[in-house]
Every structure is written in C-alpha cells, then in structure tokens.
Amino acid sequence: MSYKTLSKEELIKLEEKFEKQYISFKDKNLKLDMSRGKPGPDQLDLCMGMLDVFNSKSILNSEDGFDCRNYGCLEGIREARELMSGILDSSPDEVIIYGNSSLNIMYDTVSRSYTHGIFGMTPWKDLKEVKFICIVPGYDRHFSILRHFGIGYVNVPMLKDGPDMDMIEKLVAEDESIKGMWCVPKYSNPDGTIYSDKTVKRMAALKPRAKDFRIYWDNAYGVHNLYDDYEELTDILRECSKAGNPDMVYKFASTSKISFTGGGLAAMAASKKNIEEIKKQLFFQTIGHDKMNQLRHTRFFKDIEGIRAHMKKHALILRPKFEMVTATFEKELSGTDTASWTKPRGGYFISLNTMEGCAKEVVAYCKDAGVVLTPAGATFPDGIDPEDSNIRIAPSYPGIDELKAASELLCLCIKLVSVRKLIKNCK
Ligand code: PMP
C-alpha cells in the first residue's frame, strides 16, 4: 500500500501505531553500529594462519633472493607485485606495492600532483582553479581528500551501469580545470554498481582538455563478490592504451578487506611512464615499504586463485547479512513508496534512498534509539545531499541478530518519518 495515496486520517492512524512501536524499540536499549564498512571479527579470523607462515627460524628472502628484513626494493618484491597484479588486473611491471592503505596512496597521488605537478606540468597549487568530478553518491573519504587540498568538485550522478558518461564527456572536454575523477568501478561505494563494458570504454576514450587529467580508479572491491556468478570488470588501463590515452588512469587496490584491515597490502597500477615518474618521487618518501608483510601475504595466499578462494569464505559470512537486510527492507517497506534500495552482488554496502528530505531525520531517529548509521549526506561532497535522501548501510560488522534488530528499527524510522512528512504535506 503506497503511503502517498493515503488520506490524512489514515496517515495519522499509522503515525500513532509507528510511534508506539518506536517507543518500545527505544526501551530495548540497543547499541549497534552500521556506520562503517568494517569486516567482522569472524572475517578477520579467516586470516590468522597468515601469522604462522614464518617464524624466527624462517628464511625471509623473496623468491629472487632479496632479504626482506632489510632496506630496499622500493616498488615491492616481485611476488607481491604479481599477487597484487591479479587484483589490479595489470602486469606486475605496472604495479607498485605501498604500505597497508590504498587511501594513503590516493592521498599521496593527489598530493604529488598538487605540490609537484604531473609530467612537468604546472603543480595544481599554482593554478587558479582545480576541480574533480565526483560521482554521487560516492565514497566520503575521496571527497575529504579534495576538501583537504581545497580542490573543487562537480557532481555527476551514478546511473545503472556506471556514471552519466554524457555529462562526463562534456565536462572534461570543456573545462581545463577538471583534473580528475574518483571511480569505484566494481560494487561502487555505496550503490554496488558495476561499470559496464561500454562505460569503461567510453571513459578510456575521454578527450580531456587538461593534459594532466587522470581517472582515479579505486578498485577497492574488485574481488569482493557475494555470489559465485559475478560480472567481470573491463580493464580500464588496457582500454586507455587502446584509445590512445595510456597514461590517463591510476588504479588502486588493497587487501584491507581480504586479509587484515589494519595490516594489509596496498598497491597501485598505471602505465610504465606513470610508474617511473611516481617511483622517482617516492624515492624521497621511503627506502621501501614493509616487505615482511609482503612476504606474509604472498606465502599465505600464493596467487590470485588463493585470494579468490579466500574471498569465497568471506562471502559465506557476508551474504546472509546482506540478504537479511534487504529481506527486511522488502518485508517492511515494499509497496509503501517510502524508500528504494540496492541489492548488491558484492562490496560492502547497501544504498538506501528515502523520500526526498527524510534521510537526516531517519538517521537521527535511529541514533536516538541506539543504532548508529553513516551520517546522511556523507555520500556527497561536503556532506551535502541535495535531496537529503541517501543513506549508506554497512551490514558487515554487526552479528546477524543485531543486524535484524537494526534493520527493523531502520524500517520503522523510515515509515514514521515518511508518514509525518506526508501528514505535513496534507492540506
Ligand atoms: N576505497 C573505497 C571505495 C573504500 O570503500 C575504502 C574503505 N572503506 C577504501 C578505499 C579504503 O581502503 P584502504 O583500507 O586500502 O585504505
């Protein structure tokens, strides 16, 4: 029954019912957090064997004989580059291994362009205006990097098969101040969208006015499938090369949500020319990253097939949680016309859209009853969702029973806030 077709009297009756239910929820004194995409402890337990791959008696040389206990090997040991090349869908020669965080690499990449410029071009700090395309809704920390450097943004909406490419083609062709674009191409944060082959090819063939324009391809969820029948992502680097734009993309990934979130491996891939330039600057930052961790990862996972097998174990834990949340939405909200939501096939998030102008209030109601959600607006630059509608749900951390209680409360808050809004709108 669509709430939008109800009379004021009918809505008031519903409001009274939902209010009573809300008060009894409050009495349960819930204390749950669905705000950040963190793996649960049972997921982290899957990797404890990594701590046993070597001990004080082990020989800690890389396959080509490099002593991993010592300084050096700026780009990372060969086998780690091979391992990460599987996730990044690139050749090992196009890969550099960093520390534990891909966000750190992204920050660094923007920072280098800001202070030193790309391929001898003007550093962004010396330009009057620098902007990025932000695909919305998107990842809050991408947007925070821009804010930190005073970089502006242009929002472009996410469609079913990736961002609105008509808009992007026009923007980059016309505006020289647009220097970059954040993308989470597989199981995007938060919509769970996979960029179609057509979208990737159009992106690779962009004709940006700015010669230092780059696509920041954050493939954070490249192997995070919830189901065995998953869609493959077309490789952007190869497509860029075919389209005559070999240097236009930087790819990022990490094992944060594969091994340990607090102690994974992060890497980037790009054309050899980009990699050479980055290594020259990286030289001033470090003599080499943590090669013992690189060795631990490669000895534990062995290769990309090892990672894929490991991710199936994660899926067994995560799938019931995602399905629990979407089934609750279906049961409680379906037909009410108060919200829509995604049913992702991978990644870490469910994206929920309330009626316009309701998201902030829904999040506040949930908080009052003990359930913390990602702040409404966080999925937009500067925290401003023009429609106040999007809420990012992160179902990975809570246990399944807690998740059930939290999703039921969320649905109740959506119904209560929506009904109140509709009553207000009645003449
Ligand atoms: N990119 C995206 C899209 C993410 O969702 C996250 C984690 N929430 C990260 C990057 C952070 O990755 P890392 O732990 O490698 O810094």
Side-chain angles (χ1 to χ4, degrees):
M1 162 192 51
S2 167
Y3 290 2
K4 291 182 180 162
T5 60
L6 299 180
S7 67
K8 191 170 182 181
E9 291 66 37
E10 287 170 314
L11 288 167
I12 289 172
K13 268 199 192 135
L14 276 181
E15 185 192 18
E16 282 166 7
K17 179 175 127 189
F18 296 149
E19 206 164 38
K20 275 195 199 126
Q21 291 175 351
Y22 183 65
I23 289 165
S24 59
F25 248 108
K26 270 185 147 175
D27 291 341
K28 290 186 190 170
N29 289 321
L30 295 175
K31 224 174 174 315
L32 302 173
D33 191 336
M34 287 212 289
S35 68
R36 298 241 52 115
K38 292 199 294 192
D42 45 354
Q43 288 176 266
L44 299 172
D45 286 346
L46 294 172
C47 225
M48 291 304 281
M50 188 184 284
L51 304 183
D52 300 327
V53 293
F54 51 70
N55 59 32
S56 61
K57 310 259 178 331
S58 304
I59 293 173
L60 299 177
N61 287 355
S62 69
E63 281 168 12
D64 53 9
F66 198 95
D67 185 344
C68 292
R69 299 170 304 172
N70 220 326
Y71 269 143
C73 204
L74 185 61
E75 67 276 17
I77 58 174
R78 179 75 196 176
E79 55 263 48
R81 294 165 82 199
E82 269 165 18
L83 182 75
M84 292 308 286
S85 75
I87 300 179
L88 285 158
D89 201 7
S90 283
S91 110
D93 298 330
E94 297 165 331
V95 172
I96 304 180
I97 311 289
Y98 279 66
N100 74 317
S101 158
S102 62
L103 190 69
N104 185 190
I105 315 180
M106 291 180 245
Y107 175 96
D108 225 30
T109 310
V110 170
S111 176
R112 257 195 319 269
S113 309
Y114 189 83
T115 54
H116 286 75
I118 296 173
F119 294 160
M121 280 175 265
T122 311
W124 296 350
K125 71 176 170 47
D126 298 329
L127 295 175
K128 239 166 109 189
E129 191 176 28
V130 175
K131 293 200 289 276
F132 263 50
I133 288 174
C134 292
I135 298 153
V136 291
Y139 178 38
D140 52 349
R141 287 180 181 268
H142 284 162
F143 307 149
S144 313
I145 292 177
L146 302 184
R147 192 170 334 124
H148 183 68
F149 284 96
I151 295 171
Y153 58 86
V154 188
N155 289 354
V156 168
M158 180 69 98
L159 308 178
K160 288 262 170 294
D161 59 351
D164 185 334
M165 285 309 301
D166 291 343
M167 236 177 122
I168 291 176
E169 281 166 352
K170 197 161 177 294
L171 280 164
V172 301
E174 287 175 359
D175 189 343
E176 200 175 355
S177 73
I178 294 182
K179 302 292 188 189
M181 166 165 76
W182 294 116
C183 295
V184 184
K186 192 162 177 192
Y187 308 129
S188 69
N189 177 349
D191 277 350
T193 307
I194 303 176
Y195 292 11
S196 68
D197 177 63
K198 194 169 162 210
T199 300
V200 176
K201 286 183 173 147
R202 280 180 77 179
M203 237 178 222
L206 284 174
K207 297 193 172 31
R209 191 115 181 250
K211 295 296 160 235
D212 49 356
F213 171 86
R214 293 287 184 274
I215 298 168
Y216 293 71
W217 195 254
D218 177 6
N219 202 5
Y221 301 108
V223 291
H224 301 58
N225 308 300
L226 288 174
Y227 298 89
D228 286 344
D229 57 328
Y230 55 84
E231 241 179 86
E232 293 288 355
L233 178 70
T234 302
D235 178 40
I236 184 92
L237 187 50
R238 246 181 320 266
E239 291 305 323
C240 279
S241 192
K242 276 194 228 161
N245 286 324
D247 303 320
M248 198 173 65
V249 63
Y250 299 132
K251 299 202 279 190
F252 309 95
S254 78
T255 68
S256 279
K257 286 162 187 166
I258 298 172
S259 57
F260 298 121
T261 341
L265 281 189
M268 81 180 285
S271 69
K272 288 206 184 109
K273 189 173 168 199
N274 275 324
I275 291 290
E276 278 318 307
E277 167 166 78
I278 292 163
K279 267 172 61 183
K280 269 189 217 150
Q281 298 191 35
L282 203 55
F283 171 83
F284 298 103
Q285 286 182 270
T286 178
I287 308 173
H289 290 101
D290 181 352
K291 292 179 295 297
M292 305 281 270
N293 200 27
Q294 295 175 22
L295 206 56
R296 256 192 302 270
H297 277 74
T298 51
R299 289 190 183 173
F300 183 71
F301 288 119
K302 310 227 163 17
D303 54 25
I304 183 66
E305 287 319 313
I307 287 189
R308 288 199 188 283
H310 190 79
M311 293 314 285
K312 283 193 181 190
K313 297 182 197 163
H314 278 264
L316 284 179
I317 296 172
L318 288 175
R319 203 163 55 223
K321 295 188 177 186
F322 276 73
E323 289 179 352
M324 149 75 69
V325 175
T326 51
T328 308
F329 290 169
E330 204 74 50
K331 180 166 166 264
E332 299 293 330
L333 301 174
S334 173
T336 61
D337 254 348
T338 55
S340 61
W341 54 91
T342 56
K343 279 180 125 179
R345 299 189 58 79
Y348 261 65
F349 303 102
I350 295 167
S351 184
L352 178 104
N353 285 302
T354 65
M355 278 169 32
E356 201 171 328
C358 292
K360 276 202 166 76
E361 221 171 325
V362 167
V363 171
Y365 274 51
C366 283
K367 191 172 175 205
D368 257 8
V371 172
V372 179
L373 299 172
T374 309
T379 52
F380 285 73
D382 285 338
I384 301 166
D385 173 359
E387 299 193 343
D388 184 25
S389 160
N390 188 249
I391 301 175
R392 185 183 80 167
I393 315 289
S396 54
Y397 193 79
I400 199 110
D401 293 338
E402 296 173 327
L403 208 53
K404 187 165 188 295
S407 321
E408 282 169 356
L409 172 69
L410 171 59
C411 291
L412 179 64
C413 294
I414 291 172
K415 289 192 279 191
L416 182 55
V417 169
S418 308
V419 159
R420 285 189 169 155
K421 180 139 190 109
L422 290 167
I423 292 171
K424 235 191 236 169
N425 293 348
C426 285
K427 299 238 162 65

